[in-house]
Amino acid sequence: MLFDTDFKQRSDTNTWSHRDGSPFTQEEQDTVFAATRDELEEVSDQITRYRAYRQSKEEAPEALHRFLSPFLDQLVQKHLRKIIESMTEDELTELKRLLGAMDDPILPFTPNTF
């Protein structure tokens, strides 16, 4: 339940709410208040990792541009095949990661995934 919690207290119901905006029932509120410090820290860590994941996906087009710029500047004839041929294995791996980040849609937050 902690992963579905918007930790802002609603003034109209005097409770926390789910991420979709629906208020907690009293039973749900009691359950969340019973969470241990370790559970709250784990939720915080997973949400932090998810935010980092989203940010890397959103920044992928600019990161790809920055990554390819030095290769483009080196070439008189700017053909992608020539650029790829001049890359190291690590550079090819990074290129594939960035292209994949641009192609794949952003996944929704799912508990215990990030």
Side-chain angles (χ1 to χ4, degrees):
M1 179 171 313
L2 291 173
F3 294 103
D4 186 37
T5 302
D6 179 359
F7 289 98
K8 297 175 188 158
Q9 190 163 355
R10 293 174 53 116
S11 59
D12 58 338
T13 61
N14 204 27
T15 65
W16 287 346
S17 61
H18 296 278
R19 290 185 185 272
D20 68 2
S22 62
F24 277 3
T25 64
Q26 187 59 51
E27 183 180 357
E28 289 173 326
Q29 184 99 352
D30 293 344
T31 300
V32 170
F33 281 144
T36 66
R37 179 187 236 34
D38 288 343
E39 290 170 329
L40 292 171
E41 287 176 2
E42 178 60 27
V43 169
S44 176
D45 291 347
Q46 287 192 34
I47 290 172
T48 297
R49 288 190 297 270
Y50 179 69
R51 286 182 179 145
Y53 156 77
R54 281 193 62 110
Q55 183 175 358
S56 70
K57 294 285 282 181
E58 291 165 359
E59 293 174 351
E62 180 59 31
L64 180 62
H65 175 74
R66 285 192 311 271
F67 176 77
L68 289 176
S69 287
F71 296 100
L72 295 174
D73 292 341
Q74 294 173 21
L75 298 173
V76 175
Q77 292 183 347
K78 298 179 181 174
H79 296 286
L80 185 57
R81 183 175 43 91
K82 290 185 179 189
I83 293 171
I84 291 173
E85 289 171 356
S86 71
M87 290 182 181
T88 66
E89 285 299 315
D90 288 343
E91 291 166 338
L92 284 170
T93 300
E94 178 65 1
L95 175 63
K96 289 175 186 175
R97 185 191 72 77
L98 290 169
L99 290 172
M102 289 177 37
D103 286 342
D104 297 336
I106 293 177
L107 299 172
F109 180 79
T110 305
N112 303 312
T113 301
F114 294 92

